[in-house]
Amino acid sequence: MALEQILRSADGCINHRGTTVPPHPRLPIVGLADALVHVLQCRPAEESVPMVECALRRGDTVHAFLKARLPGTRNGKAGRALAAVDLTGESAIEVVARLLLRGAGLDVQPQVMVPGVGRVDFLDEGFLVIEIDGAAFHSDRRAFRRDRRRNNMTVVGGFTLLRFSYEDVMFAPDEILAVVFAVLGPRPVR
């Protein structure tokens, strides 16, 4: 295949030829910061924001460095996605859930300390605790028992508790929102 064929964009694809940081010294790959900028420009926020949060939490880049590479009005979508990065997600699936809940108009507070329970993934309207369960931290019997104790203490503390899985967040987001709004009832959403 000729080089010009490789460089041409296929239907629905964009070739990102510009780089702002040096590529990997030995491998034919683009630098992480450039990859993140391209992801912010081309992918939906639920895909790009978790990647950027992960890189920032790991110290691989900084917010200002990425923002400086998104100038002008043509980067509005990327800028909005970067503005949604707040480093409160402890996992990628929590970031996706935060975007889902806030995108529906909910004023969820992430990583809130609840007395007698500990830190919960989200608190909404001061009474609704929303936990997102990934398999990595809920895979053994001890974790299962710990979660049941936390569930019980949440209810004893006067909170309403909803738990959702990775599959719920990724494949049934409308069902999550329906359940959350059913619990919130006629309360106004901020």
Side-chain angles (χ1 to χ4, degrees), residues 113-131:
M113 289 300 291
V114 172
V117 176
R119 191 171 50 215
V120 298
D121 294 338
F122 300 102
L123 182 64
D124 190 27
E125 298 294 327
F127 79 95
L128 177 58
V129 171
I130 302 170
E131 293 277 58

Side-chain angles (χ1 to χ4, degrees), residues 83-132:
V85 171
D86 69 10
L87 301 178
T88 59
E90 291 193 335
S91 67
I93 198 62
E94 285 182 24
V95 176
V96 175
R98 183 185 76 230
L99 295 173
L100 170 70
L101 296 166
R102 287 187 176 165
L106 298 170
D107 186 26
V108 293
Q109 302 303 310
Q111 306 304 323
V112 174
M113 289 300 291
V114 172
V117 176
R119 191 171 50 215
V120 298
D121 294 338
F122 300 102
L123 182 64
D124 190 27
E125 298 294 327
F127 79 95
L128 177 58
V129 171
I130 302 170
E131 293 277 58
I132 307 299

